[in-house]
């Protein structure tokens, strides 16, 4: 189902769209299980917090069948193709955990800022998708957005190598406050299976998690194939170099796996 | 308006009740202004975070007219008298800020645990009130509750003098996780003027605030007069020793101040 004119207008105004229950509970549960499998792996792509808890599994679509299918799912590929006006490739793929009690902060940043500076991506013709694998609540470190902040283009940022576990180009407080005076600050929350589509220029962050419940969100960054990165400074499993257009799978591609697992368990 | 049977049952089951818009926007704005006045004072009752930002103003009802009236407001005194079955006095009064960007964590704890251990309060015949002076959202460090946890009585705790700016008897992670497996973890959010009534045994916490918006909540702890504290280990402006029953003022006691200020500004 293509995005409606109203949805496209909201995306243009606010910089994001939220689709509660985009994936069913069994689909989300399948991917949650796969995330735990991936986090248990001893691989260079799996990064941990200082506590040892998994924080990010990069490029999970290259070594896990469930995440491979999610990365080509029509429910996310088709709207992004529509918004960007053509075929897309996967620039980055992260399964991000925010561990119970220990989950750490991500400071305020724009993703495209990093892609431009580090990866030489020519234009912000790229969109982010977030798929909730757990219920995301006010209590467990939801994603925070500053609506409308994507309209400001690339904002000056400093390279933060200290306050987060992952190097990030972060915005200063004065800038964040000014943007929020205009646009406010929202935390889209909802059940596992929800999906966010947001601009790669949208200013966002996420707080620590002191709650007793962890939460996992999959972030997929999709880029128009003509806009592929030009600089290969980062590892290829962080900033991908396979610019082949993604062909969307069928809408039941995850359901098939759910059914296969159910049969295998019988 | 007395609490209904349904409200009393919810309070007994969950340990808290939330009343959105209990105070009007002008009443909340008045108190917000008074909070800024109080935070600007150089007094022993005003505690700060390591950044210098105000964190708590204790006993504000003893040196500020707006907070004096809030502390005797019928919208909070009468329901607490109803729940506790008799006259109440003010055990503790805190105007708590969670500063933008810097607002710090309060770890998981029960208030009555501290009052019993430190102040010799005989029984948990005391209730907390929280009045929101700012909009409390998923983004700016809302209060987190574990519903039903008040049923467990006083839970073993360790005295945390390190991870928070204020000494606190905090619960260990295993206990918090077990309680949350049963009761979940909720973050009541709402506009300025909202009011929470919650058991002094309810396990609660609040996360840091990385958002560009601060938020102020007034916490009032009301105790049945027969149940007054027996031990005077803490300063009298932290754990009060005036056990005189509070006589509720009229319902328009804050509105009067709003009107006075408006006239003065004309």
């Amino acid at each position: 189902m293509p995005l409606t004119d109203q949805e496209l207008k909201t995306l243009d105004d606010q910089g994001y769209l939220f689709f509660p229950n985009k994936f069913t509970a069994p689909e989300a549960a399948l991917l949650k299980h796969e995330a735990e499998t991936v986090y248990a792996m001893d691989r260079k792509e799996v990064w941990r917090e200082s506590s040892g808890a998994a924080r990010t599994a990069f490029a999970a679509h290259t070594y896990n069948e469930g995440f491979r299918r999610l990365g080509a799912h029509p429910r996310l590929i088709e709207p992004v193709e529509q918004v960007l006006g053509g075929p897309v490739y996967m620039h980055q793929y992260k399964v991000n955990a925010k561990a119970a009690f220990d989950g750490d902060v991500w400071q305020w940043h724009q993703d495209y800022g990093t892609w431009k500076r580090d990866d030489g991506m020519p234009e912000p013709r790229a969109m982010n998708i977030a798929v909730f694998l757990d219920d995301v609540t006010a209590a467990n470190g939801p994603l925070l957005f500053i609506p409308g902040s994507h309209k400001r283009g690339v904002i000056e940022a400093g390279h933060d190598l200290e306050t987060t576990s992952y190097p990030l180009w972060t915005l200063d407080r004065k800038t964040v406050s000014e943007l929020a005076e205009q646009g406010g600050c929202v935390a889209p929350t909802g059940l596992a299976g929800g999906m966010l589509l947001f601009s790669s220029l949208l200013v966002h962050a996420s707080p620590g998690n002191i709650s007793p419940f962890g939460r996992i969100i999959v972030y997929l960054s999709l880029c128009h194939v003509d806009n592929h990165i030009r600089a290969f400074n980062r590892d290829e499993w962080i900033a991908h170099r396979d610019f082949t257009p993604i062909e969307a799978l069928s809408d039941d591609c995850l359901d098939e796996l759910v059914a296969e697992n159910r049969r295998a368990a019988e």
Side-chain angles (χ1 to χ4, degrees), chain A:
Chain A
M1 266 222 327
L3 299 174
T4 65
D5 287 350
Q6 181 56 49
E7 284 171 330
L8 290 169
K9 183 176 181 324
T10 302
L11 180 61
D12 185 56
D13 288 346
Q14 302 292 309
Y16 73 99
L17 287 171
F18 182 42
F19 305 91
N21 310 308
K22 190 69 166 179
F23 292 88
T24 64
E27 287 171 328
L30 168 84
L31 293 170
K32 170 77 186 273
H33 180 264
E34 297 306 316
E36 303 295 356
T37 304
V38 163
Y39 287 147
M41 292 177 171
D42 183 17
R43 299 183 64 106
K44 64 180 182 304
E45 295 93 341
V46 180
W47 289 21
R48 299 183 189 280
E49 302 192 2
S50 43
S51 68
R55 178 178 170 111
T56 299
F58 287 97
H61 63 311
T62 62
Y63 50 87
N64 176 279
E65 178 62 14
F67 289 120
R68 184 188 74 79
R69 295 188 186 201
L70 179 66
H73 204 290
R75 282 174 232 164
L76 51 92
I77 296 300
E78 288 172 4
V80 175
E81 286 177 338
Q82 182 186 353
V83 171
L84 298 179
V88 297
Y89 80 96
M90 187 70 65
H91 170 57
Q92 197 166 60
Y93 195 117
K94 293 176 294 197
V95 184
N96 277 14
K98 181 86 76 176
F101 297 112
D102 277 323
D104 209 354
V105 165
W106 291 80
Q107 304 287 1
W108 292 98
H109 67 285
Q110 295 175 302
D111 284 355
Y112 179 68
T114 298
W115 303 341
K116 179 185 170 74
R117 294 178 187 101
D118 290 3
D119 304 328
M121 187 186 285
E123 301 289 333
R125 294 182 70 190
M127 296 293 294
N128 282 319
I129 293 281
V131 178
F132 298 176
L133 303 193
D134 288 297
D135 299 348
V136 175
T137 73
N140 64 1
L143 203 54
L144 309 183
F145 289 156
I146 299 186
S149 56
H150 65 302
K151 300 252 184 200
R152 287 277 297 270
V154 178
I155 300 168
E156 199 183 341
H159 208 188
D160 183 353
L161 301 166
E162 287 175 17
T163 74
T164 57
S165 312
Y166 175 72
L168 206 61
W169 290 93
T170 57
L171 277 59
D172 66 44
R173 293 178 173 194
K174 184 160 168 290
T175 305
V176 173
S177 294
E178 283 168 6
L179 292 168
E181 280 303 316
Q182 288 179 27
C185 176
V186 298
T189 56
L191 299 181
M195 182 178 107
L196 284 160
L197 168 64
F198 62 103
S199 164
S200 56
L201 286 169
L202 193 67
V203 174
H204 63 287
S206 78
N209 180 11
I210 66 162
S211 89
F213 298 111
R215 64 109 179 115
I216 299 174
I217 297 180
V218 188
Y219 292 94
L220 307 97
S221 303
L222 295 153
C223 181
H224 193 289
V225 291
D226 296 346
N227 192 50
H228 67 77
I229 64 171
R230 306 303 202 247
F232 301 155
N233 296 316
R234 300 198 291 174
D235 287 317
E236 51 76 24
W237 44 271
I238 294 183
H240 307 148
R241 298 171 202 170
D242 177 357
F243 310 133
T244 316
I246 297 170
E247 288 192 43
L249 300 173
S250 68
D251 196 71
D252 63 353
C253 61
L254 286 171
D255 269 336
E256 278 177 13
L257 271 191
V258 171
E260 274 176 33
N261 290 352
R262 196 180 293 130
R263 277 195 300 276
E266 276 168 1

